[in-house]
Amino acid sequence: MKCLSNRAESHLTGQVEQDPMCDGAWVNQGYCSSPPPIPRVSTIYDPQPVFQGSMDGTYKLDAPGMFPEEPVPSSSDQSLKNKKRGCCSCIKGLWGTTLTENTSDNKEKLLRTTLRELLVYLVFLVDICLLTYGMTSSSTYYYTKAMTDLFMNSASENGVKFQTIGTMADFWSYAQGPLLDSLYWTKWYNNQSLDTGDQSFIYYENMLLGVPRMRQIKIKNNSCKVHADFQDEISGCFDVYNEKKEEDLSFGLINGSAWTYHTEKEIKGSSHWGLLTTYSGAGFYQDLGRTREETALILTELMDNLWLDRGTRVAFFDFSTYNANINMFCVIRLVVEFPATGGAIPSYQIRTVRLIRYITTWDYFILGCELFFCLFIIYYIIEEILELRIHKCSYFKSIWNILDIVVIMLAIVAIVFNIFRTIKVDKLLGKLLEQPDLYADFEFLSFWQTQYNNMNAVNLFFAWIKVFKYISFNKTMMQLSSTLGRCAKDIIGFAFMFFIVFFAYAQLGYLLFGTEVESFSTFVKCIFTQFRIILGDFDYDAIDRANRVLGPIYFITYVFFVFFVLLNMFLAIINDTYSEVKEELSSKDDELQFADIFKQSYMKTFMKLKLKKEKISDVQKALQSGSEEIEFKDFRETLKELGHADHEISEAFSKFDSDGNQVLDQDEQERMKMELKEKRDALSAELDNLGANYENELSDKPTVIASEQKGLSSQTFVDQEQFQRLVTQVLRLESSFMTINTRMELIMEKMGSQEKATINAATGMQSGVETASDGCVLVHLDQTAKTDVPSKRSNRHM
């Protein structure tokens, strides 16, 4: 029985050890006294129930006084503890994440932390969306389209447009015709003067900033080697463009910047990525005039003195405009490349950007979003530092952590460039206003503003992708990431074989059709052309014209092996892995459910209102005695029987006992009844709003029975972890009782057998006395004694 008592106590405390004296039983060596009495906790007048929902949908009651509580620390110890941990608790409160807090054994805490992270991140996402979309406008497209139509589609008298330029003569025809007409607007459509002086307003709305600039890059003569058989007929040789072979000697009239070479640093130029190659920012340049007449004279002089010759490899027109209506700059560069093969290849580059940022109210709202964005970046920097300090190198094993770092780094670069751009534009505009005859070089700023916009677009893309980090707990959301993660090795291995075949066909197409088909003219174009063939976008007639025999063979074999076989192998790998992942996830419950958080809040509110309503009902019952006066003693005894605490009863009574005589007269009773009725009606309305059918759902829960709330008034609710610990202890206690019961039954069986053997022995002894002689009786008794010894030993052992 001692073992039984110890064993029972051990399961009540949860601290168990094995005792060899009890033959494998579990006892608690550190807890020998009886458990402390359960303190009474009332939930009638000041109910504080905690309604905890487990992940399996069940709900549990927690009684704070049911189990021994830890000793409360003194005020001095508590103040010292607060001083030591004040900073840490503040950091955990502000920057607590699933990586900084221990949530491995607490799914509810993990759920709440994830939800809080998601809500904070959604605010950040809204801010970055406002920030990004606030810097652009649909007017940007129309501004770019207007400039494109004007400078690209305007034709000269002989029908030359910019995109139809094919020779140097066409270049000069376009420059002296459509270009001049497009750059300088001095009259209305009825030939009435605009009265803007020497300032040009393109389309009457877009001011031409400064003066346009022409620039060319030349190649040295004899930069290539002529074959000996043609040296007598060919006097000069100009190679394809190479920065090392640029002509740096003056030529032509020599006097002026158009005939003198300038380095990229001297003219503060920038390199350009053309259709044929990348060109430096150096060369020979000429700034045009502020009026049409002045510019026409300059162009005529350049053409008459052969400013363009055999050594010219590229010519540029650079100018900028500003539209005050939409606060947009348009930086335009017209490029004509002159390859070593002869002819001309036109191209253009138009960048529409917003360089002046803060003018309207909306702009200042975006400024507020930018400041808010900076605070968010500081917040996330501290968060990532804390996570990195905790997890060290294992921090980089998660792709989401790497994505966090990428987003933060791009954001920091964006912030620095925004400050740099604002300062640089102010200086440039100030200089331009002081000297309006200078070339307005916005090429550098427009380039980096475009890269800034591209960087923000990429950063916003990553920011949206990061949302999957917080919603991937759901098995539906997890299917994509799990499928790609599991089949990554198979895809990478098969991709190696796929691209061997793919690049083999790309080289074949380049060598077969590169001389005649534009889409196969370079190896890089071959690669993209083959991707387009996979998507169904191809020009089979061009391939067939280039090679009537090998063209169809190339096309048919490529489509069969790459499209029908290899590409579908990728799909087969993904589909097979997806089926496995879906089957596995279908047998698992979701680890986290955001619905549980809202359901628990719903249940807390519901139970609080329900308990308050029951409290009012109990007081109303106490007032239904019908007597004109109710003494405090009777009132107290009635409510005590219903499970109410003394201090709660005193509060309720003294609230309406206005004269303090410990007796409720008729008026005081009426006031109490009226107030209780109003409160009960209000609570009933709130309960109806929460859901009339929720009480039925609550009654279906095995662990929560509404009708037992009064009997369980001393209980509140436990969290899942504590409930599981209690369940484990009860199961152990039940198992121990079952073991004891089995052994007790075994002992009883042996004792029954012992009793039967004793009775049989006594019966035999009596019959021996009656039938045998004295000597036989002695022998029989002696044998009976011998047979009885083992039974006694066995009984002692038991």
Side-chain angles (χ1 to χ4, degrees):
M1 296 302 294
K2 180 179 180 180
C3 284
L4 178 60
S5 176
N6 289 338
R7 201 174 299 131
E9 291 175 358
S10 66
H11 285 285
L12 289 175
T13 58
Q15 300 176 354
V16 294
E17 294 180 2
Q18 191 170 9
D19 186 4
M21 296 297 295
C22 294
D23 193 15
W26 292 89
V27 297
N28 180 14
Q29 300 292 349
Y31 185 79
C32 299
S33 61
S34 60
I38 301 175
R40 182 180 183 84
V41 179
S42 176
T43 58
I44 301 301
Y45 289 90
D46 298 311
Q48 300 294 332
V50 180
F51 205 85
Q52 298 288 356
S54 66
M55 306 311 296
D56 57 0
T58 60
Y59 298 86
K60 309 162 186 68
L61 294 172
D62 173 26
M66 183 175 292
F67 304 101
E69 298 182 356
E70 296 181 0
V72 180
S74 62
S75 58
S76 59
D77 295 339
Q78 189 67 28
S79 60
L80 181 61
K81 185 177 181 181
N82 291 337
K83 290 181 181 180
K84 292 181 178 180
R85 298 187 179 181
C87 181
C88 295
S89 61
C90 179
I91 292 177
K92 287 184 178 180
L94 292 176
W95 288 278
T97 65
T98 55
L99 294 180
T100 58
E101 297 184 2
N102 184 14
T103 59
S104 57
D105 297 331
N106 193 334
K107 292 183 179 180
E108 183 181 352
K109 185 177 182 181
L110 177 62
L111 175 63
R112 294 182 180 275
T113 305
T114 303
L115 179 59
R116 186 182 61 80
E117 282 188 78
L118 177 59
L119 293 178
V120 173
Y121 187 75
L122 288 179
V123 177
F124 169 75
L125 192 61
V126 170
D127 181 68
I128 193 175
C129 286
L130 290 173
L131 187 65
T132 305
Y133 287 103
M135 294 186 298
T136 185
S137 171
S138 58
S139 300
T140 304
Y141 166 76
Y142 296 106
Y143 195 8
T144 303
K145 185 178 183 298
M147 295 292 104
T148 302
D149 293 340
L150 178 63
F151 289 98
M152 301 303 115
N153 299 328
S154 299
S156 63
E157 294 180 356
N158 55 1
V160 176
K161 301 179 181 179
F162 178 78
Q163 292 180 334
T164 62
I165 293 176
T167 63
M168 290 184 179
D170 294 340
F171 174 87
W172 291 114
S173 178
Y174 171 79
Q176 294 177 324
L179 182 62
L180 281 179
D181 295 337
S182 301
L183 282 175
Y184 301 99
W185 291 53
T186 57
K187 297 181 180 180
W188 286 97
Y189 50 84
N190 61 353
N191 291 327
Q192 182 179 352
S193 176
L194 285 175
D195 295 331
T196 57
D198 58 356
Q199 187 66 57
S200 174
F201 283 87
I202 301 173
Y203 278 133
Y204 315 116
E205 301 293 344
N206 307 289
M207 184 176 66
L208 180 64
L209 300 176
V211 297
R213 170 173 289 183
M214 289 181 62
R215 179 170 64 94
Q216 73 155 323
I217 299 178
K218 298 168 62 71
I219 291 296
K220 295 178 180 179
N221 191 8
N222 297 323
S223 55
C224 55
K225 198 169 186 180
V226 180
H227 193 272
D229 295 340
F230 296 96
Q231 288 181 355
D232 295 335
E233 289 78 11
I234 300 176
S235 59
C237 176
F238 297 88
D239 200 358
V240 296
Y241 174 78
N242 190 318
E243 186 174 357
K244 296 181 180 179
K245 298 179 181 180
E246 286 184 6
E247 179 65 77
D248 55 0
L249 299 178
S250 300
F251 72 102
L253 299 180
I254 300 177
N255 55 345
S257 60
W259 313 97
T260 305
Y261 178 81
H262 298 80
T263 63
E264 182 175 330
K265 184 178 181 180
E266 290 174 345
I267 61 177
K268 298 180 180 179
S270 58
S271 60
H272 177 79
W273 185 11
L275 297 178
L276 300 178
T277 186
T278 300
Y279 303 95
S280 69
F284 306 86
Y285 75 93
Q286 174 64 53
D287 291 338
L288 304 180
R290 290 177 58 83
T291 62
R292 177 188 174 90
E293 294 75 13
E294 184 181 355
T295 300
L297 291 175
I298 294 174
L299 292 176
T300 301
E301 181 182 11
L302 294 176
M303 184 182 68
D304 293 342
N305 291 278
L306 294 177
W307 189 62
L308 301 180
D309 57 17
R310 291 179 59 196
T312 301
R313 286 294 170 262
V314 64
F316 301 93
F317 285 108
D318 292 304
F319 55 94
S320 303
T321 63
Y322 174 71
N323 190 307
N325 300 333
I326 58 176
N327 188 28
M328 288 285 184
F329 288 83
C330 189
V331 183
I332 303 173
R333 169 169 284 183
L334 307 179
V335 184
V336 180
E337 298 175 76
F338 301 96
T341 58
I345 303 174
S347 62
Y348 63 93
Q349 176 182 277
I350 299 179
R351 296 193 181 107
T352 303
V353 293
R354 176 175 292 175
L355 299 178
I356 301 177
R357 294 293 309 280
Y358 311 115
I359 296 179
T360 64
T361 304
W362 174 255
D363 294 334
Y364 283 101
F365 172 75
I366 298 300
L367 175 61
C369 293
E370 291 175 350
L371 298 177
F372 201 45
F373 178 78
C374 295
L375 295 178
F376 262 114
I377 295 304
I378 296 174
Y379 172 85
Y380 281 118
I381 288 175
I382 298 176
E383 177 182 296
E384 299 307 315
I385 291 176
L386 293 176
E387 293 178 356
L388 187 60
R389 290 185 60 185
I390 294 174
H391 298 278
K392 301 296 188 297
C393 295
S394 61
Y395 170 86
F396 297 98
K397 293 181 180 180
S398 173
I399 187 64
W400 299 116
N401 294 335
I402 298 176
L403 187 61
D404 290 341
I405 295 178
V406 171
V407 171
I408 291 175
M409 295 302 296
L410 290 176
I412 293 175
V413 174
I415 293 172
V416 172
F417 176 79
N418 197 16
I419 298 174
F420 166 77
R421 185 270 320 281
T422 303
I423 298 174
K424 193 72 175 179
V425 170
D426 291 341
K427 289 184 178 179
L428 183 59
L429 289 178
K431 185 177 181 181
L432 181 63
L433 293 175
E434 293 176 359
Q435 298 176 321
D437 294 334
L438 295 178
Y439 163 65
D441 187 9
F442 286 92
E443 176 63 27
F444 175 79
L445 284 177
S446 66
F447 171 79
W448 285 109
Q449 178 65 33
T450 303
Q451 304 310 311
Y452 170 76
N453 294 338
N454 296 338
M455 180 176 58
N456 282 336
V458 173
N459 202 12
L460 182 60
F461 170 78
F462 286 148
W464 275 106
I465 294 298
K466 188 185 170 184
V467 175
F468 283 101
K469 173 182 179 181
Y470 303 105
I471 65 176
S472 60
F473 63 87
N474 188 278
K475 61 183 179 183
T476 303
M477 300 296 180
M478 196 184 299
Q479 287 180 1
L480 176 62
S481 59
S482 299
T483 301
L484 295 179
R486 183 173 299 185
C487 68
K489 293 183 179 179
D490 294 334
I491 289 180
I492 293 174
F494 187 76
F496 183 75
M497 296 183 291
F498 173 83
F499 282 107
I500 289 177
V501 179
F502 185 84
F503 288 130
Y505 271 101
Q507 292 183 359
L508 178 62
Y510 172 66
L511 297 176
L512 290 179
F513 320 118
T515 57
E516 299 184 33
V517 183
E518 194 273 335
S519 57
F520 287 88
S521 58
T522 64
F523 182 72
V524 176
K525 288 184 177 180
C526 286
I527 294 175
F528 288 101
T529 300
Q530 291 188 158
F531 280 117
R532 290 170 58 188
I533 292 176
I534 293 177
L535 298 176
D537 180 16
F538 55 88
D539 186 2
Y540 174 77
D541 293 334
I543 297 174
D544 185 63
R545 286 193 302 268
N547 195 316
R548 297 180 62 185
V549 177
L550 295 177
I553 295 176
Y554 162 85
F555 182 78
I556 293 173
T557 56
Y558 173 79
V559 171
F560 177 78
F561 286 108
V562 176
F563 182 73
F564 287 109
V565 178
L566 298 180
L567 188 63
N568 283 281
M569 284 295 293
F570 281 111
L571 299 179
I573 293 173
I574 295 175
N575 288 334
D576 183 61
T577 308
Y578 176 77
S579 300
E580 295 178 0
V581 171
K582 187 175 182 180
E583 183 178 358
E584 292 179 3
L585 293 179
S586 62
S587 60
K588 296 180 180 179
D589 295 332
D590 292 344
E591 293 184 1
L592 297 175
Q593 288 291 344
F594 281 158
D596 290 342
I597 291 292
F598 303 105
K599 198 170 185 179
Q600 290 172 22
S601 300
Y602 182 88
M603 289 300 300
K604 288 179 182 178
T605 305
F606 185 87
M607 293 306 300
K608 286 181 180 179
L609 295 177
K610 190 171 182 64
L611 293 175
K612 286 181 179 180
K613 185 177 180 181
E614 292 178 355
K615 172 193 67 177
I616 295 174
S617 299
D618 291 341
V619 178
Q620 288 178 336
K621 290 179 182 178
L623 295 175
Q624 291 176 357
S625 60
S627 59
E628 296 182 357
E629 294 182 351
I630 298 177
E631 295 184 359
F632 175 73
K633 180 180 179 181
D634 299 333
F635 186 82
R636 178 177 176 276
E637 290 179 355
T638 303
L639 292 182
K640 283 283 285 184
E641 294 177 356
L642 296 176
H644 294 252
D646 289 336
H647 70 280
E648 296 169 346
I649 300 172
S650 300
E651 289 179 8
F653 192 90
S654 59
K655 180 179 180 181
F656 297 94
D657 185 16
S658 57
D659 51 9
N661 61 353
Q662 298 294 310
V663 176
L664 291 179
D665 57 22
Q666 194 70 30
D667 295 337
E668 293 171 344
Q669 292 181 38
E670 289 298 327
R671 280 195 301 111
M672 179 180 287
K673 290 179 180 180
M674 289 295 296
E675 183 171 340
L676 291 175
K677 185 177 182 303
E678 292 176 359
K679 290 183 178 181
R680 182 180 176 85
D681 293 340
L683 290 173
S684 298
E686 292 185 31
L687 287 172
D688 292 338
N689 293 334
L690 286 175
N693 60 341
Y694 194 78
E695 188 171 357
N696 296 330
E697 178 184 352
L698 186 64
S699 62
D700 294 335
K701 301 294 182 179
T703 57
V704 180
I705 303 175
S707 61
E708 296 179 359
Q709 289 299 319
K710 295 179 182 179
L712 297 176
S713 60
S714 61
Q715 299 180 2
T716 52
F717 303 94
V718 300
D719 57 14
Q720 180 185 2
E721 183 179 358
Q722 187 176 358
F723 179 76
Q724 293 295 337
R725 189 165 58 249
L726 295 175
V727 169
T728 303
Q729 294 174 5
V730 171
L731 291 177
R732 289 177 179 174
L733 183 61
E734 183 179 356
S735 177
S736 299
F737 280 132
M738 291 178 63
T739 303
I740 294 171
N741 189 30
T742 302
R743 293 184 178 180
M744 292 289 291
E745 291 178 355
L746 182 60
I747 292 173
M748 294 301 295
E749 290 179 0
K750 290 183 179 181
M751 291 179 65
S753 301
Q754 174 81 23
E755 185 177 357
K756 289 180 181 180
T758 305
I759 294 173
N760 293 333
T763 304
M765 181 180 64
Q766 183 178 2
S767 61
V769 171
E770 292 176 355
T771 58
S773 61
D774 295 339
C776 292
V777 172
L778 292 175
V779 173
H780 185 70
L781 289 174
D782 184 67
Q783 290 178 353
T784 302
K786 289 181 180 179
T787 58
D788 189 47
V789 172
S791 298
K792 292 181 178 180
R793 291 179 180 176
S794 178
N795 190 20
R796 278 198 306 271
H797 178 72
M798 295 302 295

